[in-house]
Amino acid sequence: MLRIGLTGGIGSGKSTVAGLLMQRGATLVDADAISRRLTEPGGAALAAITAEFGAEIVDSSGALNRDRMRQRVFADVAAKRRLEAILHPMIVAETQRQADAAATSVIVFDVPLLVESAQWRGRVDRILVVDCEESTQVARVLARSGLSADAVLVIIAQQASRALRRACADAVIYNDAVSLDGLTHHVEALWQIWVRPKP
Ligand code: ATP
């Protein structure tokens, strides 16, 4: 069993790399998707979140109002901690459940806050970082969302720095000035080293 923690900044290419690892037989456990599901209508975290932050934190569809929540925690570290105290144990329990249910010998944990969290780092055997230049991150996110370049730069500034991520990495895939074919070759090379070591 090999547990790979996959991380990288916004637009770095994490999801693309995760897909290539899945094509090679890995199971993906996506912490972000789990977090979203917990806060969708009927989500398991909503009762505790409304008890803590009030009913107005949920929108008319019954889902967490993410913009409002972001505003609440943006400048309020204590509120951020209270939210994390609700969500993190649930996310950890669900990732563990999915990992236990996996029928493959390689599990990829796509965890946005991997390098920020010692707890997460302790749950994986290897850390794989997808890295690229900031200008490339901005260009990729602009191409697929309605965000402005300034908004993307604000998100990048709030995330762990490229240097910190790389310092935590067991391997770095530099996904810049490389085609999707080239990226596929990088992922395949890593798979051969980590998963199918030559005798
Ligand atoms: P986010 O953090 O926002 O979820 P991400 O790190 O998961 O992003 P991806 O969704 O994998 O990034 O990639 C962002 C976009 O860039 C996608 O449209 C993807 O197809 C494209 N992309 C990623 N790598 C390359 C590449 N090497 N060549 C061309 N396009 C790429």
Side-chain angles (χ1 to χ4, degrees):
M1 169 77 81
L2 177 65
R3 296 167 303 168
I4 299 174
L6 173 67
T7 193
I10 183 170
S12 58
K14 294 177 301 289
S15 309
T16 309
V17 168
L20 291 166
L21 292 167
M22 286 166 77
Q23 281 173 18
R24 282 157 182 76
T27 295
L28 178 65
V29 177
D30 182 340
D32 216 22
I34 290 170
S35 170
R36 276 197 306 274
R37 229 168 292 133
L38 286 168
T39 54
E40 278 170 358
L46 283 174
I49 290 175
T50 46
E52 185 69 48
F53 295 96
E56 67 280 1
I57 210 73
V58 170
D59 66 22
S60 55
S61 76
L64 178 69
N65 184 324
R66 291 172 172 273
D67 284 342
R68 210 168 283 165
M69 192 76 242
R70 223 174 280 128
Q71 282 163 17
R72 280 290 293 273
V73 301
F74 183 68
D76 185 346
V77 177
K80 186 163 183 245
R81 295 241 166 81
R82 274 163 27 226
L83 176 66
E84 287 169 356
I86 294 168
L87 279 177
H88 279 188
M90 290 183 170
I91 295 171
V92 167
E94 177 58 15
T95 52
Q96 193 57 49
R97 193 195 63 73
Q98 291 187 13
D100 290 345
T104 63
S105 60
V106 181
I107 301 177
V108 175
F109 293 84
D110 184 341
V111 180
L113 296 180
L114 188 69
V115 302
E116 289 91 334
S117 158
Q119 198 199 18
W120 268 115
R121 291 202 307 273
R123 290 176 184 276
V124 298
D125 303 308
R126 307 261 170 84
I127 295 181
L128 172 58
V129 168
V130 185
D131 183 47
C132 69
E133 300 303 320
E134 247 179 53
S135 54
T136 305
Q137 290 179 270
V138 172
R140 286 187 187 142
V141 178
L142 288 190
R144 68 136 205 244
S145 76
L147 290 177
S148 68
D150 282 348
V152 181
L153 287 171
V154 167
I155 293 171
I156 290 173
Q158 287 167 353
Q159 296 185 331
S161 68
R162 290 176 61 201
L164 174 63
R165 275 191 224 281
R166 286 193 307 246
C168 294
D170 294 293
V172 177
I173 291 185
Y174 185 59
N175 182 27
D176 207 305
V178 62
S179 66
L180 287 174
D181 272 356
L183 180 62
T184 306
H185 283 297
H186 288 325
V187 171
E188 176 60 22
L190 186 77
W191 187 267
Q192 291 301 329
I193 295 166
W194 277 4
V195 181
R196 304 206 189 296
K198 293 197 173 66

